[in-house]
Amino acid sequence: MKNLLVIGVGPHARRSHLPALAAGQAAGLVGTVRGVDILGAADAAVPYDADDGPRSVPVTLVEPFGSEERTLPDAVRRTLDELVDHRGIDAVVVSTEPAFHLAYTGWALERGLSVLLDKPLGVRTDASTDPAQAAGILTDADDLLARYEAARLRHPEIMVSVQSQRRYHPAFWRLRQLIAEVAEATDCPVTSVQSFHSDGQWRLPDELLDLDYHGYDRGYGKCAHSGYHFFDIIPWLLAAGERGGKVPDAVQVHAQVTRPADFLAQLGVEDHERLFDGFAARNLYSTQDLDTAAHGFGEVDAFISLAFRSAGRTLTLGSLNLVHNGFSQRGNLTPAAGLYKGNGRVRQETHIVQQGPFQALHFHSLQTLDEGVRTGDRHAPGGDRHVEVHVFRNNRLRPAWKAYTRLGHEALTTMSEGQVAVPTQQSSRRRAMGEFLEYVNGRRTREQMRSDLTTHRTAAALMAGAYQSMAARWTGASPEATLSLEPTLPDVSSPAPGTVVGTL
């Protein structure tokens, strides 16, 4: 059993990481768990709900430091070093605000500690308005990869696994398998991909300033939070169709975004006064106050155009539409704690993949219900567990193919390594943690890991490109960014070992 240190015990860690570690204790993979957070952000003991009931984790508090620091301040480093030495820490979960990921992960690598790193790899303050900070996102990713490579020379078994749970989701395993089948038969890569994700995160005007969780005040927003999942999953899907040298070597990125000032143009202070009884009495800010205070804040929504190119020719066109201020079930004036769940947040997600004239894949997860509402079919559109994949194939060219197949929740539920894998985000997050714990306990090889840090550079490049485009537009420069891509590393993890798949 390994002792774990969780750095950053905010809403996400309390909802996801800490319960998963408690499950790891029950499975004999985890010994003790300790938390770390900054002064003022947490108490000395943080409560959370585990599978077997309420628990708490002891937390060591450290002095805050600036996100511009690329390494930990000496005082913070000494505190963490003492924790590692006195508590016998074997591995680390980094789940801080993403601008601090580089400093904490770099420290762990220096100590020879494996890391489960929350997405994204990192981000920089003011990335959406400062071109240098935007470009620094990829510089930092390359720095982290170099530190990882150096650490592996000293500690060959060290692992950095990125918590990017769609790689652990059976529906996305199936998409990759379907893409690979058609690529093998036709040598055709993915020719276009359209991805959409909405959080349903309705933030009222005063909350733009007063609510910190997944806020905009650091000069970045949606793209650096849940948006990273899609910067990752798009190239992860595309890689399944790469054959015969048809591999992108560069990507062009163009982003259009809304910021808090745009949100206020859509629904302003007076609109919210009409919609919510009591808002006028609570709100302390005029529209002018908000416009002034939110100047330079990060993106609320982002619509991003992508062109993956090889030797100057376009292989794949893509669109990635990321919405924070989308359809919501919020109807309450007072926000739920943290805004993570229970405040009307609704996931709606689609991916449409075209593989030339041979195949079209449609992934849909369309929810309309708050968590906890249990009415009707939970797996139907509008249910809290809705997911389905529609498969269209050219069976006039290949009569053995089916023209159309629908895969619902039951068909997407499969076996992975002797366990049932259900197609939900929550269970996929749990699988990501389980895989990491198995690795650090010597029960899994490096080749069996689905989300090693070394496979995330393209995702970091896409995120950096999106922010470079935003920042260039902000400064009046050309908003198109072109980034070089390294060759895709071999991925031996999908379909997952033990996954039962069929041929359509």
Side-chain angles (χ1 to χ4, degrees), residues 301-373:
D301 302 336
F303 278 40
I304 303 163
S305 175
L306 305 169
F308 292 88
R309 297 173 67 80
S310 177
R313 301 291 182 91
T314 298
L315 288 179
T316 309
L317 291 174
S319 63
L320 173 55
N321 299 329
L322 300 171
V323 176
H324 216 205
N325 178 41
F327 167 72
S328 172
Q329 287 284 19
R330 181 175 180 177
N332 50 298
L333 174 63
T334 303
L339 279 175
Y340 189 77
K341 285 286 187 182
N343 197 60
R345 184 174 178 180
V346 172
R347 179 189 303 111
Q348 296 197 339
E349 178 177 347
T350 65
H351 303 273
I352 301 174
V353 178
Q354 302 283 345
Q355 209 164 352
F358 306 110
Q359 178 169 245
L361 303 172
H362 289 237
F363 168 102
H364 299 284
S365 178
L366 305 175
Q367 302 175 5
T368 64
L369 301 179
D370 264 317
E371 186 177 71
V373 176

Side-chain angles (χ1 to χ4, degrees), residues 28 59 61 68 97 107 110 121-122 132 158 168 171 190 314 354 361 376 382 391 403 426 442-443 448 458 463:
V59 178
L61 302 175
E68 73 280 358
E97 180 67 28
W107 161 80
E110 290 174 9
L121 307 190
I158 201 169
Y168 298 84
V190 171
T314 298
Q354 302 283 345
L361 303 172
V391 184
Q426 182 178 3
R443 301 186 187 181
Q448 291 174 314
T458 298
M463 181 172 148

Side-chain angles (χ1 to χ4, degrees), residues 150 156 175 199-200 202 269 386 410 421 437 444:
L175 290 174
D199 282 308
W202 184 6
V269 171
H386 172 252
E410 183 176 353
L437 295 177
R444 182 178 290 267

